[in-house]
Amino acid sequence: MYVLKLALQKLSTRPVSSAFSVLLFAIGCSIISLIILAEKNLTRSVERNFSEIDLVIGAKGSPLQLILSSVLHADYPTGNISLYEAENIARNPLVKKSIPLALGDNYRGFRIVGAPIEYAAMYNATLDEGAWYEHTLEAVVGANVARATGLQMGDRFYGVHGFQDAGHAHPEFLYTVTGIMKQGAGVMDNLILTPVSSVWKVHEGHHHDDHDHGDHDHDDQDHDSAGHHDHDHDHENCDHDHHDHDHNHSHSHYHAHEGTHDHHPEQPVDPAIAAIKEMIEAGEDISLEEMQLYTAYLQQSQVASHDDKREITAMLLQFRSPAGLIQLTRLVNESTNMQAAAPALEINRLMSLLSVGFDLLLILAWVIIVFSGINIFIHLWNTLRGELQDIALMRVLGASRAKVFLLLVAQGVAIALAGWMSGMVLSRVIWLLLPSFHFMTETGAGTIYTQEIMLLLYALAAGFLASVIPAWTAYNADVHFNLTKK
Amino acid sequence: MSLLSVHSLNYRYPSGKSLAFPDFSCNPGSNLLIHGMSGCGKTTLLHLLSGILTPSHGEVRMGDVLMSAMASAEKDRFRGQHIGMIFQKHFFIEGISVLENLKAARRFAGNDDDHAYLHKLLDDLAIGHLSGKKAAQLSEGEQQRFSIARALANRPSWVLADEPTSGLDDVNCASFTALMRLAVEEKPVSWIVASHDNRLKDHFNHVYHL
């Protein structure tokens, strides 16, 4: 349509002023778009990564940190816990599935996570090639890891201590890639999975004299490796066999427990314990005292040795019934030196914290958009005042009132549309440039969300409102007067 | 397009002052000079003839079309297609080239770009080499020619010109009257020129005194 083309030509005759109007609009739109991207990706990430995990047990510290570190793999772990103690909890009859995680090292920024393969199964991760690990120091890498690092089947690599690329290396323990996962398994895409025993092996021989997890400094990356607390360890004194590690596969790696309580040999049972067990199996609520009593009974009855000094970073739990969540959270937090945190709860807390920030940013963004609208108005109004004779001429040349109205509105709407499009591009560039967003990037940056389409409608409305007064003035401009005024 | 005729035309200004015009008519193909002093209503009459102003009463007829009774948008379209206008001041759409201005004239009238015709028109008026320039960059004489080109862009039946020679020296004035006779594709164009310029009197077969 000719009027639209002329509107664009008109805008391009004032490139600086038009570009400024577009830029201002783009800033407002991109902030809103970034908020939408963050919320969408976070929600999807939560849905994808949290649905199977009811409770996480880890070292005391910030519960949110525990969830971020052991579920989203986005923060540093709170410390280590004793495998023995964690297993005591996992052995509770309310627990359906328990998965131990051992963290500590990374390869080129990607976390090496010691976990049974049930962990990957929880995310429906499937292999693109190769096979799941069977032995210590075998590893399966996520799709993003394979792409970013170029790791291929059969490749060997060694981990670096901590969660950043640079640090103390463990070159004497070479991992072998046995499989590569398919893209789209949530957080698995960015992980390197290995048996828990690998992490123990890499860190074995390190001192275990510090079991105080009270000091959880985020910046101290050295407190967080499973089975290892002492930064100043001396590798020369370690009793490692540097040459036979690939022949000497350990078959003692850890498997997830499923319904472990079913396998326990029946012992002479205290009637009180039997009553509690019946209540639990019936899904009834039991008191904390009863729970403690029952746990103590389980601890006595188990075979695991109290001398087991092995440690893990966290234990992920899935319950048979919702009752488990409340009871075990209370049990762990009140009667052990570990903490239990529910991912759903913590993420809700995080989201509500974030939403305050999001809301403030949203207000700021809308203020910018309102000012962009006012700016468009001023731009068009100033232009129109000098061009009323132009408008009169167009009328003489055959343009109807409606067409000159449209000419002005088209300019306002075009600025808004260009602003929105630039805003969308800007937000995606920022999204891709800021690596801190990557842990929750679930969809490609190319997706335009429904809210962004809504934003487009608001933007167009703002462009229209900004131009409607100049357009109405042009509509009503007196042709005769404007052609004859000196 | 046939006869232009005016019947008991009257216009009341917003100030309340009222102006009555005697009846007259103009045959197709003939040129009419509306002669009178400044302020006697020449511009008002041209604007009434072109439908820019609506008469308080009376009628303006172009052939069998009663222009004064048309709706606003219809009148705009009719003017765009059949009437070319030249003003005392040289108006143009800012920011676009001479050729784009001529195209705008055609588009607003509801016609397509007719590049061949527009280029020929500019060449005939000896400003073909300026087609890519902004109208504001043209000299006074070039702007005059550009205004004529735009008035002829839609092959109109009528060209209404308001004091077209008031700012011109004798040479350019003579050049204007010569251009008036420029036959555009053998289609007869009737010129109605409102002016107080006595130099024009000899070039018109009809003079109408206000």
Side-chain angles (χ1 to χ4, degrees), chain A residues 2 9-10 13 389-390 393 395-400 480 483-484, chain B residues 43 47 53 76 79-80 89 91-95 100 104 107-108 150:
Chain A
Y2 181 71
Q9 282 179 327
K10 281 272 175 196
T13 60
Q389 291 186 333
D390 267 44
L393 175 65
R395 294 286 312 282
V396 168
L397 293 175
S400 60
H480 171 74
L483 288 176
T484 51
Chain B
T43 301
H47 286 186
L53 290 176
D76 291 333
R79 175 173 59 246
K89 246 170 96 181
F91 296 120
F92 39 81
I93 301 172
E94 297 268 6
E100 291 289 335
R107 289 304 185 113
F108 282 132
R150 190 182 52 213

PDB file of all heavy atoms in Angstrom, chain A residues 2 9-10 13 389-390 393 395-400 480 483-484, chain B residues 43 47 53 76 79-80 89 91-95 100 104 107-108 150:
ATOM      1  N   TYR A   2       0.524   2.202  -0.870  1.00  0.00           N
ATOM      2  CA  TYR A   2       1.429   3.326  -1.086  1.00  0.00           C
ATOM      3  C   TYR A   2       1.653   4.160   0.173  1.00  0.00           C
ATOM      4  O   TYR A   2       2.770   4.591   0.440  1.00  0.00           O
ATOM      5  CB  TYR A   2       0.904   4.208  -2.228  1.00  0.00           C
ATOM      6  CG  TYR A   2       1.828   5.365  -2.489  1.00  0.00           C
ATOM      7  CD1 TYR A   2       3.070   5.137  -3.066  1.00  0.00           C
ATOM      8  CD2 TYR A   2       1.503   6.653  -2.084  1.00  0.00           C
ATOM      9  CE1 TYR A   2       3.960   6.166  -3.266  1.00  0.00           C
ATOM     10  CE2 TYR A   2       2.381   7.689  -2.276  1.00  0.00           C
ATOM     11  CZ  TYR A   2       3.613   7.456  -2.873  1.00  0.00           C
ATOM     12  OH  TYR A   2       4.501   8.479  -3.056  1.00  0.00           O
ATOM     13  N   GLN A   9       9.252   6.085   3.995  1.00  0.00           N
ATOM     14  CA  GLN A   9      10.142   7.078   3.376  1.00  0.00           C
ATOM     15  C   GLN A   9      10.238   8.314   4.254  1.00  0.00           C
ATOM     16  O   GLN A   9      11.312   8.891   4.437  1.00  0.00           O
ATOM     17  CB  GLN A   9       9.610   7.457   1.985  1.00  0.00           C
ATOM     18  CG  GLN A   9       9.924   6.410   0.924  1.00  0.00           C
ATOM     19  CD  GLN A   9       9.358   6.795  -0.434  1.00  0.00           C
ATOM     20  OE1 GLN A   9       8.300   7.421  -0.524  1.00  0.00           O
ATOM     21  NE2 GLN A   9      10.053   6.423  -1.485  1.00  0.00           N
ATOM     22  N   LYS A  10       9.087   8.707   4.808  1.00  0.00           N
ATOM     23  CA  LYS A  10       9.059   9.886   5.691  1.00  0.00           C
ATOM     24  C   LYS A  10       9.960   9.673   6.895  1.00  0.00           C
ATOM     25  O   LYS A  10      10.709  10.560   7.291  1.00  0.00           O
ATOM     26  CB  LYS A  10       7.618  10.124   6.170  1.00  0.00           C
ATOM     27  CG  LYS A  10       6.765  10.805   5.127  1.00  0.00           C
ATOM     28  CD  LYS A  10       6.922  12.280   5.302  1.00  0.00           C
ATOM     29  CE  LYS A  10       6.200  13.075   4.240  1.00  0.00           C
ATOM     30  NZ  LYS A  10       6.684  14.455   4.224  1.00  0.00           N
ATOM     31  N   THR A  13      13.653   9.952   6.223  1.00  0.00           N
ATOM     32  CA  THR A  13      14.223  11.280   5.974  1.00  0.00           C
ATOM     33  C   THR A  13      14.719  11.907   7.275  1.00  0.00           C
ATOM     34  O   THR A  13      15.449  12.880   7.245  1.00  0.00           O
ATOM     35  CB  THR A  13      13.197  12.241   5.332  1.00  0.00           C
ATOM     36  OG1 THR A  13      12.091  12.383   6.216  1.00  0.00           O
ATOM     37  CG2 THR A  13      12.730  11.723   3.993  1.00  0.00           C
ATOM     38  N   GLN A 389       1.701  21.742   5.413  1.00  0.00           N
ATOM     39  CA  GLN A 389       1.549  22.086   3.994  1.00  0.00           C
ATOM     40  C   GLN A 389       1.735  20.844   3.124  1.00  0.00           C
ATOM     41  O   GLN A 389       1.077  20.701   2.099  1.00  0.00           O
ATOM     42  CB  GLN A 389       2.546  23.180   3.610  1.00  0.00           C
ATOM     43  CG  GLN A 389       2.197  24.508   4.278  1.00  0.00           C
ATOM     44  CD  GLN A 389       3.059  25.655   3.840  1.00  0.00           C
ATOM     45  OE1 GLN A 389       4.202  25.454   3.434  1.00  0.00           O
ATOM     46  NE2 GLN A 389       2.517  26.867   3.924  1.00  0.00           N
ATOM     47  N   ASP A 390       2.640  19.948   3.562  1.00  0.00           N
ATOM     48  CA  ASP A 390       2.798  18.647   2.895  1.00  0.00           C
ATOM     49  C   ASP A 390       1.469  17.898   2.882  1.00  0.00           C
ATOM     50  O   ASP A 390       1.055  17.336   1.878  1.00  0.00           O
ATOM     51  CB  ASP A 390       3.785  17.762   3.682  1.00  0.00           C
ATOM     52  CG  ASP A 390       5.195  17.891   3.176  1.00  0.00           C
ATOM     53  OD1 ASP A 390       5.592  19.037   2.933  1.00  0.00           O
ATOM     54  OD2 ASP A 390       5.863  16.849   3.038  1.00  0.00           O
ATOM     55  N   LEU A 393      -0.949  19.446   0.615  1.00  0.00           N
ATOM     56  CA  LEU A 393      -0.609  19.097  -0.765  1.00  0.00           C
ATOM     57  C   LEU A 393      -1.088  17.692  -1.110  1.00  0.00           C
ATOM     58  O   LEU A 393      -1.655  17.454  -2.190  1.00  0.00           O
ATOM     59  CB  LEU A 393       0.906  19.198  -0.960  1.00  0.00           C
ATOM     60  CG  LEU A 393       1.424  18.753  -2.331  1.00  0.00           C
ATOM     61  CD1 LEU A 393       0.907  19.687  -3.428  1.00  0.00           C
ATOM     62  CD2 LEU A 393       2.935  18.694  -2.355  1.00  0.00           C
ATOM     63  N   ARG A 395      -3.538  16.143   0.142  1.00  0.00           N
ATOM     64  CA  ARG A 395      -4.989  16.201  -0.011  1.00  0.00           C
ATOM     65  C   ARG A 395      -5.346  16.729  -1.401  1.00  0.00           C
ATOM     66  O   ARG A 395      -6.226  16.200  -2.080  1.00  0.00           O
ATOM     67  CB  ARG A 395      -5.614  17.084   1.073  1.00  0.00           C
ATOM     68  CG  ARG A 395      -5.480  16.540   2.489  1.00  0.00           C
ATOM     69  CD  ARG A 395      -6.406  15.370   2.747  1.00  0.00           C
ATOM     70  NE  ARG A 395      -7.771  15.655   2.304  1.00  0.00           N
ATOM     71  CZ  ARG A 395      -8.646  16.406   2.962  1.00  0.00           C
ATOM     72  NH1 ARG A 395      -8.314  16.945   4.119  1.00  0.00           N
ATOM     73  NH2 ARG A 395      -9.854  16.625   2.478  1.00  0.00           N
ATOM     74  N   VAL A 396      -4.634  17.785  -1.827  1.00  0.00           N
ATOM     75  CA  VAL A 396      -4.882  18.341  -3.159  1.00  0.00           C
ATOM     76  C   VAL A 396      -4.617  17.287  -4.231  1.00  0.00           C
ATOM     77  O   VAL A 396      -5.340  17.169  -5.213  1.00  0.00           O
ATOM     78  CB  VAL A 396      -3.991  19.585  -3.403  1.00  0.00           C
ATOM     79  CG1 VAL A 396      -4.011  19.985  -4.872  1.00  0.00           C
ATOM     80  CG2 VAL A 396      -4.450  20.731  -2.527  1.00  0.00           C
ATOM     81  N   LEU A 397      -3.573  16.488  -3.995  1.00  0.00           N
ATOM     82  CA  LEU A 397      -3.187  15.481  -4.986  1.00  0.00           C
ATOM     83  C   LEU A 397      -4.144  14.294  -4.995  1.00  0.00           C
ATOM     84  O   LEU A 397      -3.969  13.368  -5.777  1.00  0.00           O
ATOM     85  CB  LEU A 397      -1.761  14.989  -4.707  1.00  0.00           C
ATOM     86  CG  LEU A 397      -0.653  16.031  -4.913  1.00  0.00           C
ATOM     87  CD1 LEU A 397       0.693  15.467  -4.482  1.00  0.00           C
ATOM     88  CD2 LEU A 397      -0.605  16.491  -6.359  1.00  0.00           C
ATOM     89  N   GLY A 398      -5.132  14.307  -4.123  1.00  0.00           N
ATOM     90  CA  GLY A 398      -6.147  13.253  -4.181  1.00  0.00           C
ATOM     91  C   GLY A 398      -6.210  12.363  -2.960  1.00  0.00           C
ATOM     92  O   GLY A 398      -7.038  11.461  -2.889  1.00  0.00           O
ATOM     93  N   ALA A 399      -5.300  12.587  -1.961  1.00  0.00           N
ATOM     94  CA  ALA A 399      -5.340  11.754  -0.762  1.00  0.00           C
ATOM     95  C   ALA A 399      -6.541  12.158   0.090  1.00  0.00           C
ATOM     96  O   ALA A 399      -6.775  13.341   0.311  1.00  0.00           O
ATOM     97  CB  ALA A 399      -4.051  11.931   0.034  1.00  0.00           C
ATOM     98  N   SER A 400      -7.285  11.179   0.541  1.00  0.00           N
ATOM     99  CA  SER A 400      -8.439  11.476   1.398  1.00  0.00           C
ATOM    100  C   SER A 400      -7.952  11.785   2.812  1.00  0.00           C
ATOM    101  O   SER A 400      -6.795  11.551   3.144  1.00  0.00           O
ATOM    102  CB  SER A 400      -9.376  10.275   1.418  1.00  0.00           C
ATOM    103  OG  SER A 400      -8.688   9.157   1.923  1.00  0.00           O
ATOM    104  N   HIS A 480      -7.236  24.508   2.567  1.00  0.00           N
ATOM    105  CA  HIS A 480      -7.222  25.875   2.044  1.00  0.00           C
ATOM    106  C   HIS A 480      -6.319  26.772   2.891  1.00  0.00           C
ATOM    107  O   HIS A 480      -5.439  27.461   2.377  1.00  0.00           O
ATOM    108  CB  HIS A 480      -8.656  26.415   2.028  1.00  0.00           C
ATOM    109  CG  HIS A 480      -8.753  27.871   1.719  1.00  0.00           C
ATOM    110  ND1 HIS A 480      -8.565  28.360   0.435  1.00  0.00           N
ATOM    111  CD2 HIS A 480      -9.002  28.948   2.509  1.00  0.00           C
ATOM    112  CE1 HIS A 480      -8.708  29.680   0.452  1.00  0.00           C
ATOM    113  NE2 HIS A 480      -8.972  30.060   1.705  1.00  0.00           N
ATOM    114  N   LEU A 483      -2.595  25.953   2.594  1.00  0.00           N
ATOM    115  CA  LEU A 483      -1.986  26.277   1.304  1.00  0.00           C
ATOM    116  C   LEU A 483      -1.829  27.780   1.128  1.00  0.00           C
ATOM    117  O   LEU A 483      -0.975  28.229   0.366  1.00  0.00           O
ATOM    118  CB  LEU A 483      -2.845  25.717   0.159  1.00  0.00           C
ATOM    119  CG  LEU A 483      -2.822  24.203  -0.012  1.00  0.00           C
ATOM    120  CD1 LEU A 483      -3.789  23.785  -1.113  1.00  0.00           C
ATOM    121  CD2 LEU A 483      -1.422  23.706  -0.330  1.00  0.00           C
ATOM    122  N   THR A 484      -2.647  28.550   1.826  1.00  0.00           N
ATOM    123  CA  THR A 484      -2.609  29.995   1.592  1.00  0.00           C
ATOM    124  C   THR A 484      -1.863  30.751   2.675  1.00  0.00           C
ATOM    125  O   THR A 484      -1.530  31.907   2.494  1.00  0.00           O
ATOM    126  CB  THR A 484      -4.047  30.580   1.505  1.00  0.00           C
ATOM    127  OG1 THR A 484      -4.780  30.141   2.651  1.00  0.00           O
ATOM    128  CG2 THR A 484      -4.757  30.127   0.246  1.00  0.00           C
TER     129      THR A 484
ATOM    130  N   THR B  43      -7.855  33.121  -5.176  1.00  0.00           N
ATOM    131  CA  THR B  43      -7.459  31.822  -4.612  1.00  0.00           C
ATOM    132  C   THR B  43      -8.684  31.059  -4.113  1.00  0.00           C
ATOM    133  O   THR B  43      -8.819  29.845  -4.338  1.00  0.00           O
ATOM    134  CB  THR B  43      -6.454  32.024  -3.458  1.00  0.00           C
ATOM    135  OG1 THR B  43      -5.317  32.711  -3.970  1.00  0.00           O
ATOM    136  CG2 THR B  43      -6.031  30.697  -2.849  1.00  0.00           C
ATOM    137  N   HIS B  47      -9.933  27.417  -5.289  1.00  0.00           N
ATOM    138  CA  HIS B  47     -10.143  26.340  -4.321  1.00  0.00           C
ATOM    139  C   HIS B  47     -11.584  25.835  -4.337  1.00  0.00           C
ATOM    140  O   HIS B  47     -11.841  24.665  -4.062  1.00  0.00           O
ATOM    141  CB  HIS B  47      -9.727  26.798  -2.915  1.00  0.00           C
ATOM    142  CG  HIS B  47      -8.235  26.874  -2.744  1.00  0.00           C
ATOM    143  ND1 HIS B  47      -7.612  27.146  -1.554  1.00  0.00           N
ATOM    144  CD2 HIS B  47      -7.225  26.700  -3.641  1.00  0.00           C
ATOM    145  CE1 HIS B  47      -6.303  27.143  -1.719  1.00  0.00           C
ATOM    146  NE2 HIS B  47      -6.037  26.884  -2.990  1.00  0.00           N
ATOM    147  N   LEU B  53     -12.381  23.883  -1.248  1.00  0.00           N
ATOM    148  CA  LEU B  53     -13.401  24.541  -0.436  1.00  0.00           C
ATOM    149  C   LEU B  53     -14.771  24.124  -0.946  1.00  0.00           C
ATOM    150  O   LEU B  53     -14.938  23.813  -2.132  1.00  0.00           O
ATOM    151  CB  LEU B  53     -13.259  26.066  -0.521  1.00  0.00           C
ATOM    152  CG  LEU B  53     -12.036  26.693   0.158  1.00  0.00           C
ATOM    153  CD1 LEU B  53     -12.001  28.203  -0.120  1.00  0.00           C
ATOM    154  CD2 LEU B  53     -12.060  26.428   1.655  1.00  0.00           C
ATOM    155  N   ASP B  76     -11.812  14.432  -3.232  1.00  0.00           N
ATOM    156  CA  ASP B  76     -10.347  14.331  -3.230  1.00  0.00           C
ATOM    157  C   ASP B  76      -9.881  13.482  -4.404  1.00  0.00           C
ATOM    158  O   ASP B  76      -8.942  13.840  -5.122  1.00  0.00           O
ATOM    159  CB  ASP B  76      -9.849  13.715  -1.917  1.00  0.00           C
ATOM    160  CG  ASP B  76     -10.057  14.648  -0.725  1.00  0.00           C
ATOM    161  OD1 ASP B  76     -10.084  15.875  -0.944  1.00  0.00           O
ATOM    162  OD2 ASP B  76     -10.207  14.142   0.412  1.00  0.00           O
ATOM    163  N   ARG B  79     -10.510  15.250  -7.793  1.00  0.00           N
ATOM    164  CA  ARG B  79      -9.524  16.319  -7.998  1.00  0.00           C
ATOM    165  C   ARG B  79      -8.187  15.721  -8.405  1.00  0.00           C
ATOM    166  O   ARG B  79      -7.549  16.183  -9.349  1.00  0.00           O
ATOM    167  CB  ARG B  79      -9.376  17.144  -6.711  1.00  0.00           C
ATOM    168  CG  ARG B  79      -8.282  18.196  -6.778  1.00  0.00           C
ATOM    169  CD  ARG B  79      -8.282  19.088  -5.565  1.00  0.00           C
ATOM    170  NE  ARG B  79      -8.085  18.332  -4.339  1.00  0.00           N
ATOM    171  CZ  ARG B  79      -8.988  18.205  -3.382  1.00  0.00           C
ATOM    172  NH1 ARG B  79     -10.166  18.806  -3.489  1.00  0.00           N
ATOM    173  NH2 ARG B  79      -8.738  17.487  -2.307  1.00  0.00           N
ATOM    174  N   GLY B  80      -7.791  14.675  -7.685  1.00  0.00           N
ATOM    175  CA  GLY B  80      -6.514  14.037  -7.983  1.00  0.00           C
ATOM    176  C   GLY B  80      -6.449  13.549  -9.424  1.00  0.00           C
ATOM    177  O   GLY B  80      -5.420  13.687 -10.096  1.00  0.00           O
ATOM    178  N   LYS B  89       3.255  29.431  -3.996  1.00  0.00           N
ATOM    179  CA  LYS B  89       4.443  28.878  -3.335  1.00  0.00           C
ATOM    180  C   LYS B  89       4.644  27.468  -3.884  1.00  0.00           C
ATOM    181  O   LYS B  89       3.683  26.797  -4.224  1.00  0.00           O
ATOM    182  CB  LYS B  89       4.180  28.781  -1.824  1.00  0.00           C
ATOM    183  CG  LYS B  89       5.042  29.703  -0.985  1.00  0.00           C
ATOM    184  CD  LYS B  89       4.549  29.719   0.437  1.00  0.00           C
ATOM    185  CE  LYS B  89       5.307  28.751   1.328  1.00  0.00           C
ATOM    186  NZ  LYS B  89       4.779  28.779   2.709  1.00  0.00           N
ATOM    187  N   PHE B  91       5.022  23.914  -3.341  1.00  0.00           N
ATOM    188  CA  PHE B  91       4.899  22.868  -2.326  1.00  0.00           C
ATOM    189  C   PHE B  91       5.410  21.553  -2.889  1.00  0.00           C
ATOM    190  O   PHE B  91       5.281  21.273  -4.082  1.00  0.00           O
ATOM    191  CB  PHE B  91       3.433  22.686  -1.924  1.00  0.00           C
ATOM    192  CG  PHE B  91       2.843  23.899  -1.274  1.00  0.00           C
ATOM    193  CD1 PHE B  91       1.750  24.546  -1.836  1.00  0.00           C
ATOM    194  CD2 PHE B  91       3.381  24.393  -0.097  1.00  0.00           C
ATOM    195  CE1 PHE B  91       1.202  25.662  -1.231  1.00  0.00           C
ATOM    196  CE2 PHE B  91       2.837  25.512   0.516  1.00  0.00           C
ATOM    197  CZ  PHE B  91       1.741  26.152  -0.056  1.00  0.00           C
ATOM    198  N   PHE B  92       5.965  20.753  -2.006  1.00  0.00           N
ATOM    199  CA  PHE B  92       6.349  19.391  -2.412  1.00  0.00           C
ATOM    200  C   PHE B  92       6.420  18.549  -1.149  1.00  0.00           C
ATOM    201  O   PHE B  92       6.482  19.093  -0.042  1.00  0.00           O
ATOM    202  CB  PHE B  92       7.696  19.377  -3.142  1.00  0.00           C
ATOM    203  CG  PHE B  92       8.701  20.317  -2.570  1.00  0.00           C
ATOM    204  CD1 PHE B  92       9.437  19.960  -1.455  1.00  0.00           C
ATOM    205  CD2 PHE B  92       8.897  21.587  -3.125  1.00  0.00           C
ATOM    206  CE1 PHE B  92      10.349  20.834  -0.913  1.00  0.00           C
ATOM    207  CE2 PHE B  92       9.812  22.469  -2.566  1.00  0.00           C
ATOM    208  CZ  PHE B  92      10.541  22.100  -1.468  1.00  0.00           C
ATOM    209  N   ILE B  93       6.368  17.234  -1.326  1.00  0.00           N
ATOM    210  CA  ILE B  93       6.483  16.357  -0.154  1.00  0.00           C
ATOM    211  C   ILE B  93       7.957  16.295   0.218  1.00  0.00           C
ATOM    212  O   ILE B  93       8.800  15.900  -0.585  1.00  0.00           O
ATOM    213  CB  ILE B  93       5.911  14.955  -0.454  1.00  0.00           C
ATOM    214  CG1 ILE B  93       4.435  15.082  -0.865  1.00  0.00           C
ATOM    215  CG2 ILE B  93       6.064  14.053   0.765  1.00  0.00           C
ATOM    216  CD1 ILE B  93       3.817  13.800  -1.359  1.00  0.00           C
ATOM    217  N   GLU B  94       8.229  16.703   1.455  1.00  0.00           N
ATOM    218  CA  GLU B  94       9.619  16.770   1.937  1.00  0.00           C
ATOM    219  C   GLU B  94      10.260  15.386   1.971  1.00  0.00           C
ATOM    220  O   GLU B  94       9.595  14.399   2.257  1.00  0.00           O
ATOM    221  CB  GLU B  94       9.637  17.329   3.370  1.00  0.00           C
ATOM    222  CG  GLU B  94       9.132  18.739   3.510  1.00  0.00           C
ATOM    223  CD  GLU B  94      10.248  19.766   3.397  1.00  0.00           C
ATOM    224  OE1 GLU B  94      11.393  19.367   3.102  1.00  0.00           O
ATOM    225  OE2 GLU B  94       9.953  20.960   3.595  1.00  0.00           O
ATOM    226  N   GLY B  95      11.539  15.375   1.705  1.00  0.00           N
ATOM    227  CA  GLY B  95      12.304  14.167   1.972  1.00  0.00           C
ATOM    228  C   GLY B  95      12.335  13.149   0.844  1.00  0.00           C
ATOM    229  O   GLY B  95      13.064  12.169   0.920  1.00  0.00           O
ATOM    230  N   GLU B 100       9.862  10.797  -7.132  1.00  0.00           N
ATOM    231  CA  GLU B 100       8.994  10.207  -6.102  1.00  0.00           C
ATOM    232  C   GLU B 100       7.785  11.108  -5.842  1.00  0.00           C
ATOM    233  O   GLU B 100       6.684  10.631  -5.586  1.00  0.00           O
ATOM    234  CB  GLU B 100       9.767   9.995  -4.794  1.00  0.00           C
ATOM    235  CG  GLU B 100      10.834   8.915  -4.840  1.00  0.00           C
ATOM    236  CD  GLU B 100      10.243   7.508  -4.906  1.00  0.00           C
ATOM    237  OE1 GLU B 100       9.101   7.325  -4.464  1.00  0.00           O
ATOM    238  OE2 GLU B 100      10.929   6.612  -5.416  1.00  0.00           O
ATOM    239  N   ALA B 104       4.035  10.074  -6.186  1.00  0.00           N
ATOM    240  CA  ALA B 104       3.073  10.279  -5.095  1.00  0.00           C
ATOM    241  C   ALA B 104       1.789  10.879  -5.655  1.00  0.00           C
ATOM    242  O   ALA B 104       0.684  10.467  -5.282  1.00  0.00           O
ATOM    243  CB  ALA B 104       3.671  11.178  -4.026  1.00  0.00           C
ATOM    244  N   ARG B 107      -0.070   8.098  -7.321  1.00  0.00           N
ATOM    245  CA  ARG B 107      -0.603   7.124  -6.357  1.00  0.00           C
ATOM    246  C   ARG B 107      -1.788   7.697  -5.580  1.00  0.00           C
ATOM    247  O   ARG B 107      -2.775   7.003  -5.368  1.00  0.00           O
ATOM    248  CB  ARG B 107       0.494   6.683  -5.382  1.00  0.00           C
ATOM    249  CG  ARG B 107       1.555   5.809  -6.015  1.00  0.00           C
ATOM    250  CD  ARG B 107       0.928   4.586  -6.654  1.00  0.00           C
ATOM    251  NE  ARG B 107       1.926   3.677  -7.158  1.00  0.00           N
ATOM    252  CZ  ARG B 107       2.140   2.464  -6.655  1.00  0.00           C
ATOM    253  NH1 ARG B 107       1.401   2.013  -5.658  1.00  0.00           N
ATOM    254  NH2 ARG B 107       3.070   1.695  -7.163  1.00  0.00           N
ATOM    255  N   PHE B 108      -1.666   8.948  -5.135  1.00  0.00           N
ATOM    256  CA  PHE B 108      -2.769   9.540  -4.370  1.00  0.00           C
ATOM    257  C   PHE B 108      -4.019   9.686  -5.233  1.00  0.00           C
ATOM    258  O   PHE B 108      -5.136   9.686  -4.734  1.00  0.00           O
ATOM    259  CB  PHE B 108      -2.363  10.891  -3.780  1.00  0.00           C
ATOM    260  CG  PHE B 108      -1.513  10.773  -2.548  1.00  0.00           C
ATOM    261  CD1 PHE B 108      -0.345  11.501  -2.411  1.00  0.00           C
ATOM    262  CD2 PHE B 108      -1.889   9.923  -1.513  1.00  0.00           C
ATOM    263  CE1 PHE B 108       0.439  11.388  -1.273  1.00  0.00           C
ATOM    264  CE2 PHE B 108      -1.108   9.800  -0.366  1.00  0.00           C
ATOM    265  CZ  PHE B 108       0.064  10.537  -0.250  1.00  0.00           C
ATOM    266  N   ARG B 150       4.194  18.133 -11.949  1.00  0.00           N
ATOM    267  CA  ARG B 150       3.320  17.436 -11.013  1.00  0.00           C
ATOM    268  C   ARG B 150       1.853  17.679 -11.352  1.00  0.00           C
ATOM    269  O   ARG B 150       1.022  16.777 -11.238  1.00  0.00           O
ATOM    270  CB  ARG B 150       3.603  17.854  -9.578  1.00  0.00           C
ATOM    271  CG  ARG B 150       2.863  16.959  -8.584  1.00  0.00           C
ATOM    272  CD  ARG B 150       3.091  17.390  -7.159  1.00  0.00           C
ATOM    273  NE  ARG B 150       2.786  18.793  -7.023  1.00  0.00           N
ATOM    274  CZ  ARG B 150       3.412  19.622  -6.184  1.00  0.00           C
ATOM    275  NH1 ARG B 150       4.384  19.166  -5.427  1.00  0.00           N
ATOM    276  NH2 ARG B 150       3.082  20.893  -6.125  1.00  0.00           N
TER     277      ARG B 150
END
